[in-house]
Amino acid sequence: MMELQTWTYLIVGLTFSLYIGIAIWSRVQTTRGFYVAGGGVSPLANGMATAADWMSAASFISMAGLISFIGRDGAYYLMGWTGGYVLLALLLAPYLRKFGQFTVPDFVGERYYSKQARLVAVICAIFVSFTYVAGQMRGVGVVFSRFLDVEIENGVVIGMGIVFIYAVMGGMKGITYTQVAQYCVLIFAFLVPAVFISLAMTGHVFPQVGFGSTVLNESGIETGIYLLDKLDGLNQDLGFSAYTSGTKETIDVFFITAALMVGTAGLPHVIIRFFTVPRVRDARLSAGYALLFIALLYTTAPAVAAFARTNLIETVQHRPYDDLPDWFQNWENTGLLAWVDKNSDGRVQYAPGQPFEKLPGHKTLKLVKTEQAGASGQPLFENRPSKSANELYVDRDIIVLANPEIARLPNWVIALVAAGGLAAALSTAAGLLLVISASISHDLLKNILMPEISEKQELLYARIAAGVAVCIAGYFGINPPGFVAQVVAFAFGLAAASFFPAIVLGIFYKRMNREGAVSGMVVGIVFTAAYIIYFKFVNPGANRAENWWFGISPEGIGTLGMLLNFSVSLIISRFTPPPPAHVQDLVEDIRIPRGAGGATEA
């Protein structure tokens, strides 16, 4: 039987070869091809590419891990991201497609008849995209560090190289068809182990059904105990709250869900996908396809989280360290899983609380081994053990990746999951890097600073910008500000507070003018970014519910930023001159197309 690493090199190597081959086949020579794939992508292909673009490393790697650790509270990721996509598909996509330009700053600049508005939109797009892409590169590093036996830093560099090739060569055309392939890889990689584990634990093929079913014992006989009831009991026996109970305040859950929802609808790398289809009706159709493709993963994620949590607890709790399966030591070697024997009994004690006390300036996302010691070869870490009873450190980003190993699935399934995680991270990273590239070359240089440059020069600048963006994204991947899904949640909050009000008001409110839109975007993103930066980086010790404004966490503050944006935009617009007549006509044309068939053929 082939070793896991051999399977991983084989499957990952084949998928990478496919991505690079598509990039070479689809290389472009025009800005229209680079920015929007020539506008000729079919609705089915665009639906698959949109799903891959939207289901990032946060969806594939980290979302189920978060749900696995925080239980019911993790539902806001599911509700927010899924609801946000529906909002985007129904409320924004068809109208922005009818507008028919290259980028979101294009729309903001034209709709608000101002280079200043375009510049603010460019800054927001770059800020949001870099925040988001940090999570993707972090996901790439996690996969490489475990399955290809390289350091996280080196894994990020390899991922940077792959993205650079197909994003810089093929632009949106190369990214689109690469994302079609990546969707096929990631959804197959997510569903196959879920089906295997569901069959083993509950006897049901469909994980969604197994999630609500009774579990089997080791002999495959019905126990009559429902999976979630069993998981509640396991959690409570260890001192955790019941898996199905929520601990967050209702207002915070609401604000986080809303931030994720409207943030989705304001994400520039998703919106730009609807500029790649020929007609408005194709935008609607591709949105429907994408929702179907997204639902396959999102309805499976809660089951994967519950399966993983159950298997983890039953596998490691109170078990002698020397008797743990190989996967435990393999993940320990990455620094993403760790055990410290606080009571010197040689057994793993898993309980609430932090296993390690944070040292000033120390990176807790990756625990660094200093030496091997103890009778069991237990690793010592730079972090001091904390006073809690918990001896086990588990990075939340490894749950989905480790799940097949914990469940003792075949090596080819484990390798397939690694390829899927890379596909999810790279597909979204490529879309984000294109947004950054287009924002710099098309919106900043061509439309503001250097309007005289030729199309050939613009394309060159776009490729240079993409290359620089890859390098910066790699830095953030090596030095991430949090777990993958947490970082992505910040990006959604920033998008909610900046783009969403400007786009919605630009489509549905003719009286909205440039003064209102620019003021609203600036207030929204500055407030939201300042709140996040203060509680997460400047004063992380104050990041507790009693210190938050109205009990709203940094992950949910984007909703308040959005409300501030709406308020400032509407107030300022009422006390400043209305937009010119041609802009109001543009809004009418976008929203209520003139002429028979205009709504479907534009």
Side-chain angles (χ1 to χ4, degrees):
M1 186 173 67
M2 275 202 293
E3 294 290 329
L4 172 59
Q5 196 167 52
T6 305
W7 271 114
T8 306
Y9 275 112
L10 177 63
I11 295 177
V12 171
L14 287 173
T15 57
F16 277 13
S17 299
L18 176 63
Y19 305 156
I20 294 172
I22 292 172
I24 295 172
W25 164 77
S26 59
R27 61 188 181 275
V28 294
Q29 301 298 326
T30 65
T31 53
R32 182 168 175 78
F34 191 87
Y35 294 141
V36 293
V41 180
S42 72
L44 179 62
N46 194 53
M48 296 179 77
T50 303
D53 206 354
W54 189 75
M55 290 191 297
S56 62
S59 294
F60 188 97
I61 296 174
S62 196
M63 182 177 65
L66 276 171
I67 296 172
S68 184
F69 278 88
I70 62 180
R72 195 188 74 177
D73 284 341
Y76 50 69
Y77 286 97
L78 287 169
M79 294 186 296
W81 285 337
T82 307
Y85 185 78
V86 175
L87 185 67
L88 170 64
L90 296 178
L91 194 62
L92 302 182
Y95 303 106
L96 290 173
R97 174 60 189 85
K98 189 165 196 314
F99 173 68
Q101 293 297 318
F102 291 157
T103 66
V104 174
D106 250 346
F107 172 79
V108 173
E110 291 294 322
R111 169 60 182 85
Y112 296 113
Y113 49 97
S114 166
K115 287 186 177 180
Q116 288 78 14
R118 185 189 291 268
L119 179 61
V120 172
V122 167
I123 294 170
C124 290
I126 293 173
F127 193 24
V128 170
S129 297
F130 270 128
T131 304
Y132 200 165
V133 82
Q136 311 316 307
M137 288 303 181
R138 155 77 174 169
V140 171
V142 169
V143 175
F144 271 109
S145 68
R146 164 62 188 93
F147 294 105
L148 297 181
D149 198 26
V150 298
E151 292 292 323
I152 286 182
E153 293 80 1
N154 295 334
V156 170
V157 172
I158 296 170
M160 287 165 55
I162 298 297
V163 172
F164 179 84
I165 291 172
Y166 68 77
V168 173
M169 286 184 61
M172 178 57 86
K173 186 178 179 183
I175 287 171
T176 295
Y177 293 107
T178 302
Q179 285 174 336
V180 171
Q182 286 168 331
Y183 174 77
C184 296
V185 172
L186 76 87
I187 199 64
F188 190 62
F190 200 84
L191 293 179
V192 167
V195 169
F196 271 108
I197 297 171
S198 181
L199 276 170
M201 293 184 68
T202 69
H204 291 282
V205 173
F206 298 107
Q208 297 89 338
V209 177
F211 180 57
S213 301
T214 56
V215 294
L216 308 177
N217 62 21
E218 292 183 359
S219 303
I221 300 171
E222 279 278 0
T223 62
I225 303 172
Y226 283 94
L227 173 65
L228 291 178
D229 288 339
K230 178 178 181 178
L231 192 48
D232 278 345
L234 289 172
N235 269 7
Q236 290 171 315
D237 288 345
L238 298 180
F240 296 95
S241 59
Y243 187 78
T244 55
S245 69
T247 58
K248 275 191 170 293
E249 293 291 332
T250 302
I251 187 173
D252 195 28
V253 171
F254 174 81
F255 269 72
I256 294 174
T257 302
L260 294 173
M261 186 178 294
V262 296
T264 298
L267 285 175
H269 75 290
V270 177
I271 292 173
I272 200 174
R273 288 241 51 92
F274 296 101
F275 295 161
T276 65
V277 292
R279 296 170 296 185
V280 174
R281 70 179 180 188
D282 294 332
R284 292 191 180 100
L285 188 57
S286 64
Y289 280 131
L291 188 58
L292 173 64
F293 296 140
I294 290 167
L296 290 175
L297 187 145
Y298 267 62
T299 57
T300 307
V304 170
F307 297 154
R309 179 77 174 177
T310 304
N311 280 332
L312 175 68
I313 292 173
E314 292 189 322
T315 301
V316 304
Q317 179 62 10
H318 298 311
R319 191 167 178 174
Y321 179 83
D322 293 338
D323 195 34
L324 289 172
D326 290 342
W327 68 264
F328 193 96
Q329 282 81 17
N330 291 336
W331 278 104
E332 269 192 311
N333 292 334
T334 69
L336 300 172
L337 179 73
W339 171 67
V340 56
D341 193 3
K342 296 180 179 180
N343 58 6
S344 303
D345 68 349
R347 293 176 178 271
V348 177
Q349 310 295 329
Y350 185 37
Q354 293 297 323
F356 300 98
E357 181 181 334
K358 183 179 178 181
L359 291 178
H362 184 73
K363 291 182 183 179
T364 56
L365 290 178
K366 183 183 178 185
L367 301 171
V368 184
K369 294 183 180 181
T370 56
E371 60 178 305
Q372 296 288 334
S376 63
Q378 173 198 335
L380 298 179
F381 293 85
E382 290 181 4
N383 306 63
R384 294 188 296 263
S386 72
K387 295 179 181 179
S388 75
N390 186 24
E391 298 179 348
L392 184 66
Y393 168 82
V394 184
D395 190 295
R396 297 179 182 187
D397 289 340
I398 75 170
I399 283 296
V400 170
L401 300 173
N403 199 21
E405 291 183 276
I406 298 173
R408 301 186 186 90
L409 296 185
N411 284 342
W412 68 269
V413 177
I414 300 170
L416 180 64
V417 171
L422 290 171
L426 294 176
S427 62
T428 302
L432 290 163
L433 292 169
L434 187 71
V435 167
I436 296 168
S437 170
S439 296
I440 293 172
S441 62
H442 179 70
D443 294 300
L444 184 61
L445 297 181
K446 177 68 175 176
N447 285 286
I448 298 178
L449 300 178
M450 304 164 62
E452 73 285 352
I453 61 174
S454 65
E455 181 177 349
K456 185 176 181 181
Q457 288 174 313
E458 183 183 348
L459 184 61
L460 174 63
Y461 286 130
R463 287 185 162 135
I464 292 172
V468 173
V470 167
C471 296
I472 298 174
Y475 172 81
F476 284 124
I478 294 170
N479 301 281
F483 298 113
V484 173
Q486 283 182 321
V487 175
V488 170
F490 299 152
F492 277 72
L494 294 170
S498 56
F499 280 125
F500 183 75
I503 295 171
V504 169
L505 293 172
I507 293 172
F508 296 103
Y509 185 44
K510 288 196 297 183
R511 184 62 176 74
M512 178 51 56
N513 60 16
R514 67 185 174 192
E515 291 83 2
V518 171
S519 301
M521 283 194 293
V522 170
V523 168
I525 199 165
V526 168
F527 167 78
T528 304
Y531 192 91
I532 292 172
I533 290 169
Y534 175 77
F535 283 112
K536 287 294 182 180
F537 307 111
V538 176
N539 190 10
N543 188 27
R544 294 187 296 271
E546 60 267 24
N547 298 322
W548 298 334
W549 285 16
F550 313 111
I552 303 169
S553 66
E555 289 83 357
I557 200 64
T559 301
L560 188 56
M562 175 197 69
L563 296 175
L564 284 175
N565 186 333
F566 269 118
S567 301
V568 170
S569 298
L570 291 170
I571 292 170
I572 297 293
S573 69
R574 295 305 299 175
F575 292 97
T576 48
H582 75 274
V583 172
Q584 297 191 45
D585 290 341
L586 171 66
V587 176
E588 287 285 347
D589 187 55
I590 292 173
R591 211 174 67 214
I592 311 171
R594 297 169 183 172
T600 57
E601 299 302 325

